[in-house]
Amino acid sequence: MAYTITHFAPATRSRIDAFFHRFGQGVNAYAESRSRQGQIRALDAKSDEELARMGLTRDRIVAHVFRDVIWL
């Protein structure tokens, strides 16, 4: 027979919550540092003619920005 503990002491629950809070903050910071929104906005702000000179179309901007991680 297996037993499952579903009740934690308040101090233990607090430590667990703090751990996951810090972990989540680290994940958010990492994701924001890897964000490519600036590149996407910069390309989106260009005219269709400027994009054409770069060999891009507006619908391929995201694929172009993420070309090193996604092969679309």
Side-chain angles (χ1 to χ4, degrees), residues 7 12 18 31 33 59 68:
H7 174 74
T12 303
S33 73
D59 64 333
D68 62 327

Side-chain angles (χ1 to χ4, degrees), residues 33-48:
S33 73
R34 303 266 309 172
S35 176
R36 299 179 186 203
Q37 282 295 323
Q39 291 174 299
I40 293 171
R41 285 190 192 115
L43 288 171
D44 195 43
K46 293 185 180 294
S47 69
D48 289 337

Side-chain angles (χ1 to χ4, degrees), residues 24-64:
Q25 292 299 315
V27 169
N28 286 345
Y30 175 76
E32 287 180 15
S33 73
R34 303 266 309 172
S35 176
R36 299 179 186 203
Q37 282 295 323
Q39 291 174 299
I40 293 171
R41 285 190 192 115
L43 288 171
D44 195 43
K46 293 185 180 294
S47 69
D48 289 337
E49 293 78 25
E50 290 173 308
L51 290 173
R53 283 194 296 270
M54 296 174 65
L56 286 174
T57 57
R58 198 160 297 282
D59 64 333
R60 301 295 300 164
I61 289 174
V62 173
H64 173 74

Side-chain angles (χ1 to χ4, degrees), residues 8-19:
F8 292 103
T12 303
R13 181 176 297 277
S14 178
R15 287 196 319 263
I16 292 169
D17 289 346
F19 168 78

